[in-house]
């Protein structure tokens, strides 16, 4: 069974388009995250939701909007895509309130903006 | 400020040789520490974790790590590296009060046959 899944795995699109990435976890976790990994493999936190409440909102262009319909899902919508948005986006989840709070990651979505 | 430093960007070892990947952290409280591995084109897989108790922790794939509070380090070790261990390794600390995890910049491991 897949623990944290993301769709699509690959996304190629043109500048100016709007796209969404979906994430689902079946671990019973209550906290979910979006990370951006650039070409140098640096992982940067973007957003985090706990029980559908936004708890981390890093300095990210407002073209990026997360949505959490329930605690098992966290989607990322990106408006007006730019070349610099090309990266791998990872979803992760964890269980708040239970140490050691390890995160589990999805397989990633490789976004290429042309 | 909380931070994680992985001093080695690249490490190359021969298959069968021992391995140590370094991780130093700066954290105000007792840290929760993690090592993740990312194989090419894959997501991050948790290798091991530390949050209390025995300072030598065992993980998957034959890896272990030792927490040394006095040195603010959490180095990853493996006694005999296999070619399949070639990957990117990330050290992480957290979560902080805001439930944010801090990741190191990663160490890329190359294994020579």
């Amino acid at each position: 069974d897949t623990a944290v899944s993301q769709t699509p795995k690959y996304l190629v699109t043109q500048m100016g388009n709007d796209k969404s990435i979906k994430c689902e976890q079946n671990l019973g976790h209550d906290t979910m995250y979006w990370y951006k990994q650039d070409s140098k493999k640096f992982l940067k936190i973007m957003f985090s939701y706990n029980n559908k409440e936004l708890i981390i909102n890093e300095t990210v262009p407002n073209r990026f909007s997360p949505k959490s319909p329930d605690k098992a899902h966290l989607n990322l919508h990106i408006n007006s895509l730019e070349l610099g948005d090309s990266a791998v986006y990872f979803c992760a989840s964890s269980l708040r309130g239970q140490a050691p709070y390890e995160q589990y990651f999805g397989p990633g979505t490789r976004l290429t903006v042309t | 400020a909380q931070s994680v430093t992985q001093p080695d960007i690249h490490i190359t070892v021969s298959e069968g040789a021992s391995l140590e990947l370094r991780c130093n952290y700066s954290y105000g409280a007792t840290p929760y520490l993690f090592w993740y591995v990312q194989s090419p084109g894959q997501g991050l897989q948790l290798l091991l974790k530390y949050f209390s108790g025995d300072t030598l922790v065992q993980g998957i794939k034959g890896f272990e790590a030792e927490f040394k509070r006095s040195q603010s380090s959490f180095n990853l070790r493996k006694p005999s590296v296999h070619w399949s261990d070639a990957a990117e390794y990330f050290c992480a600390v957290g979560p902080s009060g805001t439930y944010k995890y801090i990741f190191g910049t990663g160490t890329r491991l190359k294994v020579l046959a």
Side-chain angles (χ1 to χ4, degrees):
Chain A
D1 286 342
T2 302
V4 183
S5 59
Q6 295 179 229
T7 53
K9 189 170 176 61
Y10 299 96
L11 186 53
V12 181
T13 188
Q14 292 183 328
M15 286 175 54
N17 285 348
D18 303 338
K19 291 293 178 185
S20 292
I21 306 172
K22 295 185 176 182
C23 178
E24 176 181 2
Q25 55 92 7
N26 63 5
L27 296 168
H29 289 170
D30 56 5
T31 307
M32 297 183 72
Y33 307 78
W34 278 113
Y35 287 87
K36 179 180 180 180
Q37 186 177 50
D38 61 23
S39 58
K40 295 185 177 180
K41 301 293 186 182
F42 181 67
L43 273 165
K44 178 182 177 183
I45 181 72
M46 300 174 69
F47 303 103
S48 177
Y49 272 77
N50 173 255
N51 284 323
K52 302 195 296 178
E53 177 186 356
L54 183 65
I55 57 172
I56 296 175
N57 186 0
E58 290 295 283
T59 306
V60 175
N62 57 16
R63 299 181 295 103
F64 289 79
S65 55
K67 284 187 171 55
S68 181
D70 55 61
K71 67 179 185 179
H73 296 84
L74 180 60
N75 304 323
L76 183 65
H77 188 75
I78 314 170
N79 289 325
S80 303
L81 278 155
E82 300 178 357
L83 293 176
D85 298 332
S86 295
V88 181
Y89 292 84
F90 286 103
C91 177
S93 70
S94 68
L95 187 60
R96 180 172 171 172
Q98 181 170 328
Y101 314 108
E102 67 264 35
Q103 292 181 304
Y104 291 87
F105 283 79
T109 296
R110 181 173 294 277
L111 172 63
T112 303
V113 182
T114 61
Chain B
Q2 297 154 357
S3 65
V4 175
T5 301
Q6 292 180 248
D8 304 305
I9 298 174
H10 294 100
I11 282 187
T12 300
V13 299
S14 298
E15 191 170 20
S18 63
L19 172 70
E20 183 170 27
L21 302 182
R22 295 183 291 166
C23 174
N24 294 97
Y25 66 89
S26 172
Y27 197 78
T30 300
Y32 296 92
L33 294 158
F34 310 90
W35 274 101
Y36 288 86
V37 60
Q38 184 180 22
S39 298
Q42 303 297 314
L44 279 74
Q45 181 182 20
L46 181 67
L47 280 176
L48 46 77
K49 61 201 177 204
Y50 170 81
F51 67 105
S52 69
D54 194 344
T55 56
L56 184 63
V57 294
Q58 302 297 320
I60 62 171
K61 305 186 180 190
F63 285 92
E64 66 177 26
E66 186 171 13
F67 170 60
K68 293 185 177 180
R69 185 186 299 275
S70 60
Q71 299 178 18
S72 297
S73 68
F74 188 57
N75 294 347
L76 182 71
R77 300 194 294 249
K78 186 170 185 178
S80 178
V81 170
H82 187 262
W83 63 267
S84 61
D85 293 324
E88 192 88 22
Y89 290 80
F90 292 93
C91 181
V93 64
S96 68
T98 57
Y99 297 89
K100 186 187 299 185
Y101 297 76
I102 308 297
F103 282 81
T105 50
T107 297
R108 180 164 296 181
L109 174 65
K110 182 177 179 180
V111 180
L112 301 176

